[in-house]
Amino acid sequence: MMSLAFGLVAALCWGLHDICVRYVSQRGGILPALTSVLIIGTLILLPPALTLGGWDTMSLRSTALAATAGVAFFLAYVGLYHAFEIGPVRLVAPVIGAYPVLSVGWAALSGQSVLWDQWLAVGAVIAGVAIVGLLTEAGESHGNKRAAILWAMLGGASFAATFALGQAAAHAGAEMPVIFVTRLTAVLAAIAIMLATGGLRWPVRGALPLLGLMGVLDCVALGIVIAAAGMARPEFASVAASTFGMITVILAWAILRERMTGGQWMGVLLTFAAIGYLAL
């Protein structure tokens, strides 16, 4: 199923993006890095957004949905990074990775038929991601664990809202304008928060190449999940995209030579077996 394939590509992009975050967050803070990534991705998207057209199909409703998705996307990133900043990973990763329940639930409420075996497969994806997160070595919490869980809940719920609103906007308008409006709104939200919390702050110049790569990865990931709106079962794209945390752990094993346990590999096997079942 193409929507699942799109979601897996998004997960890979966000996994690579999160590997890069490990470096840039230590060289100027998370909010400046996040804002820079959003700006770079939006600038990259500007030429195709202007040339591919589709703006004539953007009604007030589709524009409003896309803008709301942009606010949700910014909140998703804020929740994600704050949750991982407090940690530990094994506490917050399963909470964030559970958002497909909301995505599939929204699809069911919207009239999509979700069979019992599909619910089981979605649950297996979440369980696999949770296993990998729970077995990931991490230090003790750097703050209030209740706050970490609340930030994780904000991140997960906001990711689900981003994909649902973005896909609804794409149905009502055109994909490329919706993606651009979503990202532009996220940029404006990030800049507004920075101005409200001490003024504009930017990462060091040496981090710009890596931030540029992160901007491309982030732009592609969000874009293809929203673009899945025109496919069968678009909610399954967000299910597959929810594996980005697990993909990050796998990439850390492959790139950073971090250890993966047998239990984590079992979680990976369970996740991808469930995704394969959904694709049948």
Side-chain angles (χ1 to χ4, degrees), residues 33-249:
L34 171 58
T35 304
S36 300
V37 167
L38 288 171
I39 291 173
I40 292 170
T42 304
L43 291 175
I44 292 172
L45 193 63
L46 182 59
L50 292 177
T51 56
L52 293 180
W55 290 95
D56 57 322
T57 66
M58 291 294 289
S59 63
L60 179 61
R61 178 174 180 271
S62 59
T63 303
L65 285 170
T68 308
V71 174
F73 184 57
F74 172 70
L75 291 176
Y77 263 27
V78 170
L80 174 75
Y81 289 133
H82 273 297
F84 278 110
E85 182 181 19
I86 299 172
V89 172
R90 61 178 175 268
L91 175 68
V92 299
V95 178
I96 298 172
Y99 75 79
V101 171
L102 298 176
S103 296
V104 178
W106 175 256
L109 290 174
S110 300
Q112 287 270 14
S113 175
V114 183
L115 303 177
W116 65 269
D117 59 329
Q118 292 173 327
W119 277 111
L120 285 178
V122 170
V125 171
I126 295 170
V129 173
I131 289 170
V132 174
L134 290 170
L135 296 180
T136 297
E137 295 181 1
E140 291 303 312
S141 172
H142 297 292
N144 188 308
K145 289 188 177 181
R146 182 179 178 183
I149 292 174
L150 290 174
W151 281 117
M153 291 174 64
L154 172 66
S158 297
F159 271 120
T162 299
F163 301 146
L165 290 166
Q167 290 178 353
H171 278 300
E175 292 169 1
M176 185 58 70
V178 165
I179 296 168
F180 183 79
V181 171
T182 298
R183 293 197 61 86
L184 180 61
T185 304
V187 168
L188 295 176
I191 291 175
I193 294 298
M194 286 186 70
L195 290 174
T197 57
L200 294 176
R201 304 178 302 279
W202 307 109
V204 297
R205 183 175 298 179
L208 288 178
L210 192 56
L211 289 170
L213 173 62
M214 293 169 64
V216 173
L217 292 170
D218 179 60
C219 184
V220 171
L222 178 62
I224 62 177
V225 174
I226 292 178
M231 301 176 182
R233 308 315 304 248
E235 69 274 14
F236 288 166
S238 65
V239 172
S242 73
T243 64
F244 69 86
M246 184 186 70
I247 297 294
T248 302
V249 174

